[in-house]
Amino acid sequence: MSKVWIGIDKSRSYRVYLTITTDMVEEARKIHMTTPLATAGLGRVLTGAGLMGIMLKNESDRLTVQFKGDGPAKQILATADGKGNVKGYIANPDVDLPLTDKGKLDVGGSLGIGDLTVIKDLGLKEPYMGTIALVSGEIAEDLTAYFFISEQQNTSVALGVKIERDYHVGAAGGMIIQMLPDAKEASVDALEAMLADLPPITTLIDQVTGSGAGKSQSGLLRDLAEAVFGRMPEEYQLEGLDEREIRWNCDCSEKRLSQALMTIGKKDLTEIIEEDGQAELQCQFCLKKYHFDKERLEKILEDIS
Ligand SMILES: [Zn+2]
């Protein structure tokens, strides 16, 4: 479970969503046995999707964030809902590339040229869908562009995953700064100036967790908010607004996977029954396997007919 701290500045110019997701990203790494590069990409997408889920109006709303490119990672996808449930996967968990010139994990290179699609199911007849071309494939920059282009919202997204030498997740987290409709123009300039000098978010998380041993997650998040926004002028200092939670949670079930079997069609399903006499399906999010014996498959076939 990762807390999400939500704050608003004194002048009501911007709202902030802030989280430390070290445990959640480590859990995803263990399930998907990802390489450091894959952990960084997946961890950033999970953290970003989790924060975007919390930004949804209703708890029953859900969204899918899909990064697709011609690079070796192929695809990174995460879904999140308004209750804070998050799950995701990377198509190629073994992806590995040399570090960039700056010595960083090359998440952008692993995705290559491609696009970002966000699908929001807000309980309306049709889901909302927005697609943009990837800016850099570094995830945070792409999400910032998505908000601007597809939702006409001025936001700034920062995401980070630090991998330790033994490949486990040392620190992960993110923040979304959302400009409000009545934002003072000077607040935009002040934020830009502050962000230009800001160390990577994982460095700041390391600092607050290092000095805040024994502190609660809420306490650490307040320290993190102070480490970032304490740099802002007095009139744009933050006030706490709310606290929420996000967590890794896969809600797959035999019923859900049998619905997937229904969509493959009568002909293919008949073929599986005759040739294999059984089927095994795996949830792509949590990798749990579901076994369908002949009798169960015949029942599904009957249901389609
Ligand atoms: Zn699952």
Side-chain angles (χ1 to χ4, degrees), residues 250-252 283-288 290:
C250 190
D251 53 353
C252 65
C283 169
Q284 53 195 350
F285 293 100
C286 71
L287 306 187
K288 188 173 167 185
Y290 291 87

Side-chain angles (χ1 to χ4, degrees), residues 178-199:
Q178 182 185 38
M179 298 314 296
L180 297 173
D182 297 325
K184 302 239 173 356
E185 226 173 285
S187 70
V188 181
D189 299 338
L191 276 169
E192 274 176 9
M194 184 275 284
L195 290 171
D197 284 334
L198 194 71

Side-chain angles (χ1 to χ4, degrees), residues 3-304:
K3 289 251 195 255
V4 177
W5 188 87
I6 305 171
I8 191 164
D9 82 299
K10 281 183 191 166
S11 74
R12 302 297 185 255
S13 291
Y14 65 93
R15 195 183 291 141
V16 174
Y17 299 81
L18 195 63
T19 187
I20 299 174
T21 52
T22 312
D23 295 345
M24 186 174 85
V25 177
E26 174 67 6
E27 195 171 344
R29 180 189 75 84
K30 281 186 184 152
I31 293 169
H32 289 276
M33 312 262 286
T34 41
T35 59
L37 177 56
T39 309
L42 179 59
R44 289 182 202 173
V45 174
L46 287 171
T47 303
L51 288 175
M52 288 169 72
I54 291 299
M55 291 166 81
L56 294 168
K57 269 206 185 75
N58 305 304
E59 287 202 337
S60 57
D61 294 348
R62 45 171 63 237
L63 61 84
T64 300
V65 176
Q66 181 190 42
F67 287 82
K68 238 178 169 168
D70 64 0
K74 294 187 190 121
Q75 184 185 192
I76 309 176
L77 182 146
T79 76
D81 64 23
K83 292 194 241 356
N85 296 306
V86 186
K87 59 181 178 177
Y89 66 86
I90 176 165
N92 179 7
D94 302 319
V95 65
D96 199 12
L97 286 175
L99 296 178
T100 64
D101 298 343
K102 288 177 181 159
K104 304 266 186 226
L105 291 163
D106 193 2
V107 175
S110 79
L111 277 167
I113 295 167
D115 45 45
L116 159 63
T117 300
V118 176
I119 303 161
K120 285 185 173 177
D121 182 356
L122 309 174
L124 307 169
K125 241 188 213 156
E126 296 283 331
Y128 160 86
M129 199 168 111
T131 299
I132 63 154
L134 291 181
V135 178
S136 63
E138 294 289 333
I139 314 301
E141 218 177 332
D142 305 298
L143 288 174
T144 300
Y146 160 78
F147 276 114
F148 190 72
I149 297 166
S150 288
E151 300 200 8
Q152 289 80 46
Q153 256 190 55
N154 198 357
T155 67
S156 175
V157 183
L159 300 165
V161 176
K162 192 182 111 185
I163 315 287
E164 300 295 342
R165 231 173 252 270
D166 64 359
Y167 289 7
H168 86 268
V169 179
M175 87 179 157
I176 296 181
I177 305 170
Q178 182 185 38
M179 298 314 296
L180 297 173
D182 297 325
K184 302 239 173 356
E185 226 173 285
S187 70
V188 181
D189 299 338
L191 276 169
E192 274 176 9
M194 184 275 284
L195 290 171
D197 284 334
L198 194 71
I201 188 148
T202 47
T203 306
L204 296 169
I205 292 172
D206 268 348
Q207 279 169 14
V208 299
T209 49
S211 61
K215 265 197 186 169
S216 68
Q217 266 203 54
S218 309
L220 290 174
L221 279 173
R222 277 195 298 274
D223 288 354
L224 183 60
E226 176 59 30
V228 178
F229 297 95
R231 300 157 189 256
M232 291 288 283
E234 182 54 36
E235 63 264 45
Y236 304 124
Q237 289 293 313
L238 279 182
E239 296 165 3
L241 205 60
D242 196 5
E243 213 177 73
R244 302 274 298 276
E245 283 174 19
I246 54 177
R247 72 202 71 83
W248 173 276
N249 181 30
C250 190
D251 53 353
C252 65
S253 62
E254 200 199 65
K255 193 172 163 223
R256 197 167 278 209
L257 282 246
S258 68
Q259 280 161 353
L261 269 175
M262 283 182 176
T263 62
I264 69 169
K266 228 167 151 176
K267 185 171 157 281
D268 287 345
L269 195 55
T270 309
E271 237 175 69
I272 293 173
I273 293 169
E274 281 168 6
E275 282 171 23
D276 305 325
Q278 52 117 15
E280 192 174 76
L281 260 71
Q282 189 172 31
C283 169
Q284 53 195 350
F285 293 100
C286 71
L287 306 187
K288 188 173 167 185
K289 284 176 181 158
Y290 291 87
H291 185 259
F292 294 86
D293 60 18
K294 197 170 180 180
E295 209 179 326
R296 183 87 180 84
L297 291 175
E298 280 167 343
K299 177 80 180 46
I300 293 170
L301 185 63
E302 229 180 82
D303 288 347
I304 312 178

